[in-house]
């Protein structure tokens, strides 16, 4: 029976749930290469899930099993479009699935966004997660490390779980964070922070906030941190009252926010202010951020934020824009610029005329958009895997299915792939390094460090 060669682009949760679904469901033999531009696997779980959420990162144990199968290879440090083009992939694989996530930040579209001190939450998350693109010496590290020591007030724009994550990391003491895998140079920078007030700014009301209740509740459990909520901002219009009756999350969020609003202020070292019905009009400052002009909103009948003629000024040295992610186009692959996704139906990539492109599939956030939690990718993965398995027998065979031919091509291109054994060696060293300071691991952060260890 023919072995189908499959390339999966990305090694994060969308990719690995997909590979697991293919392994579980495929009736014909398959041989899968998981290709990622980063030198380490696990994508968002390693570089997006907050470092103090070790319970969510535990999914890595399940993902590891995927790579222990002899018909699955990891090709880390291989960039699609640079080291391996779409034409190469089509020559060496019968099918490809794009599962490269949604890694780009969305913009606010207000003046002053380019000022120093206006940073996307995406960059901030990469920084404290030890992402190679934000490692010591990179532009992202320098921009953030330069600003942290002068911090007194921070404005986080957006009311999703990423906004809550960056707020929690800024609010926690370095002593608490030291138990996580946050790199030492990030802890050094954070230890200089004088942050007193963190304002989380939502353009709509508390009933429309996107964060989930467990994450919200956690903000109220940080030692030596007050959470401040103005009870007046929790007063809902009739339509919002009706809407929370059918949303368990919104109802629970309102309960938690209500409890926060009754808490007396203490002399805690830091305060988190959860603010509603405010949109940024302008980020202001000479060269770097010194404040933000905000406009008050009300809701229309469809729960959209509608500005009213009331503005307010917030002094702040850092604006963290946390207004969602979007997908990045891959070289030569169809892409819907407006939605930031690869257009598809049941995981089959569609051309401009809505016809399925033979042998091309998409899964995870690049397929559905940047919504849901890590586990949401599992359902998506099963749907895409089912389409792939149904199509595989009828797909044209690629010209050169030998795995060794891909390795030779990558060598010719000057790429330096990190395979699964290479990663296991790195993983072992990271855990060893962590043990020296009582931590679960200390991540390697720059590419040279990775390459010298394989
Ligand atoms: P998100 O949940 O979509 O939240 C984005 C926030 O930005 C919303 O409050 C949105 O308000 C606001 N926003 C968008 N455009 C804006 C603008 N121009 N001005 C002001 N505010 C604006 O996105 P996210 O926080 O980046 O999270 C992405 C996904 O990852 C979510 O599904 C999230 O649950 C998930 N995640 C989960 C965890 C976890 O489980 N612990 C952790 C992190 C992320 P509107 O509602 O008004 O549009």
């Amino acid at each position: 029976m023919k072995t189908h060669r499959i390339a999966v682009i990305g090694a994060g949760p969308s990719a690995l749930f997909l590979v697991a679904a293919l392994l579980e469901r495929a009736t014909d033999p398959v041989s899968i290469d998981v290709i990622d531009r980063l030198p380490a696997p696990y994508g968002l779980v390693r570089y997006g899930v907050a470092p103090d959420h070790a319970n969510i990162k535990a999914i890595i144990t399940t993902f590891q099993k995927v790579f222990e199968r002899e018909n699955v290879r990891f090709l880390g440090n291989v960039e699609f479009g640079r080291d391996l083009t779409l034409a190469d992939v089509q020559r060496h694989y019968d099918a490809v699935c794009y599962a490269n996530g949604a890694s780009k930040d969305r913009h606010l579209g207000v003046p002053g966004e380019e000022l120093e001190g206006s940073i996307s939450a995406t960059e901030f998350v990469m920084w404290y997660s030890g992402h190679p693109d934000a490692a010591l010496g990179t532009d992202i590290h320098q921009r953030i490390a330069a600003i942290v020591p002068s911090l007194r007030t921070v404005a986080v724009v957006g009311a999703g779980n990423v906004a809550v994550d960056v707020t929690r990391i800024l609010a926690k003491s370095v002593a608490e964070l030291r138990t996580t895998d946050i790199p030492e140079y990030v802890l050094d920078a954070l230890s200089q922070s004088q942050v007193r007030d963190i304002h989380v700014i939502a353009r709509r009301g508390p009933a429309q906030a996107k964060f989930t209740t467990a994450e919200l509740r956690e903000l109220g459990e940080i030692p030596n941190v007050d959470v401040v909520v103005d009870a007046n901002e929790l007063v809902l219009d009739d339509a919002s009252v009706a809407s929370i009756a059918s949303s368990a999350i919104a109802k629970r969020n309102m309960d938690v926010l209500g409890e926060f609003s009754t808490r007396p202020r203490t002399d805690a070292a830091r305060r988190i202010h959860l603010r509603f019905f405010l949109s940024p009009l302008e980020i202001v400052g000479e060269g770097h951020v010194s404040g933000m002009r905000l406009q008050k909103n009300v809701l229309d009948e469809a729960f959209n934020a509608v500005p009213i003629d009331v503005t307010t000024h917030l002094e702040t040295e850092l604006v963290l824009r946390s207004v969602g992610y979007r997908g990045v186009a891959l070289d030569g692959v169809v892409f819907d610029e407006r939605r930031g996704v690869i257009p598809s139906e049941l995981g089959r990539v569609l051309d401009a005329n809505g016809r399925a492109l033979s042998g091309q599939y998409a899964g995870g956030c690049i397929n559905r958009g940047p919504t849901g939690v890590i586990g949401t990718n599992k359902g998506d993965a099963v749907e895409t895997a089912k389409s792939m398995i149904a199509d595989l027998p009828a797909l044209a065979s690629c010209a050169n299915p030998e795995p060794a031919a891909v390795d030779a091509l990558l060598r010719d291109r000057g790429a330096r792939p990190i395979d699964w054994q290479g990663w296991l060696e790195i993983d072992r060293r990271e855990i060893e390094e962590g043990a020296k300071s009582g931590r679960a691991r200390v991540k390697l952060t720059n590419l040279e460090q990775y390459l010298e260890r394989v």
Side-chain angles (χ1 to χ4, degrees), residues 121-450:
T122 318
E123 291 174 317
F124 196 71
V125 170
M126 283 163 67
W127 178 65
Y128 65 59
S129 301
H131 191 294
D133 290 356
L136 199 61
T138 59
D139 171 65
I140 295 178
H141 168 71
Q142 276 160 4
R143 278 191 288 123
I144 298 176
I147 196 128
V148 169
S150 62
L151 289 182
R152 297 283 184 285
T153 306
V154 178
V156 179
V157 181
N161 279 330
V162 173
V164 173
D165 279 349
V166 298
T167 298
R168 202 177 57 253
I169 296 296
L170 279 164
K172 280 189 171 180
S173 69
V174 167
E176 282 171 277
L177 297 176
R178 206 169 277 289
T179 58
T180 70
D181 64 7
I182 293 186
E184 206 55 41
Y185 57 85
V186 172
L187 293 172
D188 284 349
L190 289 174
S191 67
Q192 297 171 53
S193 154
Q194 309 289 318
V195 168
R196 176 89 174 116
D197 293 286
I198 305 165
H199 296 259
V200 180
I201 295 169
R203 64 178 168 183
R204 301 192 291 157
Q208 289 78 36
K210 296 263 175 67
F211 40 64
T212 40
T213 314
E215 280 64 26
L216 175 64
R217 199 175 280 127
E218 230 182 320
L219 291 181
E221 293 165 355
I222 308 172
N224 209 11
V225 172
D226 277 353
V227 181
V228 183
V229 175
D230 179 350
N232 293 320
E233 292 187 353
L234 301 184
V235 178
L236 302 182
D237 57 25
D238 291 347
S240 293
V241 172
S243 76
I244 63 167
S246 57
S247 164
I249 293 181
K251 167 84 180 63
R252 283 198 300 263
N253 283 351
M254 287 303 298
D255 291 345
V256 174
L257 289 165
E259 189 269 313
F260 286 169
S261 74
T262 62
R263 289 189 182 189
R265 288 214 194 180
T266 70
D267 57 357
R270 291 178 172 156
R271 289 183 295 239
I272 297 170
H273 307 258
L274 300 174
R275 318 266 315 260
F276 297 96
F277 302 108
L278 288 171
S279 284
L281 269 182
E282 184 182 6
I283 301 171
V284 290
E286 300 278 322
H288 61 82
V289 173
S290 62
M292 191 161 54
R293 215 150 58 78
L294 297 161
Q295 181 156 38
K296 192 108 185 99
N297 299 319
V298 292
L299 296 181
D300 68 12
E301 62 287 350
F303 304 118
N304 294 309
V306 181
I308 55 169
D309 202 13
V310 179
T311 60
T312 171
H313 180 84
L314 175 71
E315 277 185 25
T316 180
E317 302 86 35
L318 173 64
V319 174
L320 283 177
R321 308 176 321 255
S322 183
V323 294
Y325 287 66
R326 56 180 277 115
V328 183
L330 291 169
D331 253 7
V333 178
V334 289
F335 192 67
D336 179 337
E337 280 294 343
R338 193 182 56 78
R339 292 175 54 227
V341 297
I342 295 175
S344 67
E345 191 176 47
L346 298 176
R348 295 183 177 93
V349 177
L350 303 176
D351 69 11
N353 300 314
R355 280 190 298 259
L357 285 162
S358 177
Q360 294 193 53
Y361 303 84
C365 289
I366 197 66
N367 184 33
R368 69 169 191 278
T371 57
V373 293
I374 300 287
T376 312
N377 295 300
K378 196 170 181 179
D380 272 25
V382 169
E383 183 176 88
T384 302
K386 279 183 180 169
S387 295
M388 290 179 85
I389 291 164
D391 297 353
L392 280 174
L395 289 180
S397 297
C398 65
N400 192 345
E402 280 308 311
V406 177
D407 302 341
L409 174 73
L410 290 171
R411 265 196 311 275
D412 288 351
R413 294 266 160 85
R416 298 175 67 187
I418 292 175
D419 65 10
W420 184 243
Q421 287 311 316
W423 161 250
L424 287 180
E425 172 64 7
I426 291 163
D427 189 43
R428 196 175 58 75
R429 303 261 180 117
E430 287 191 346
I431 292 168
E432 255 174 38
E433 202 53 43
K436 291 181 191 162
S437 52
R439 306 166 74 176
R441 78 171 58 235
V442 169
K443 279 180 193 161
L444 300 189
T445 55
N446 74 50
L447 186 57
E448 282 65 41
Q449 287 178 315
Y450 283 99

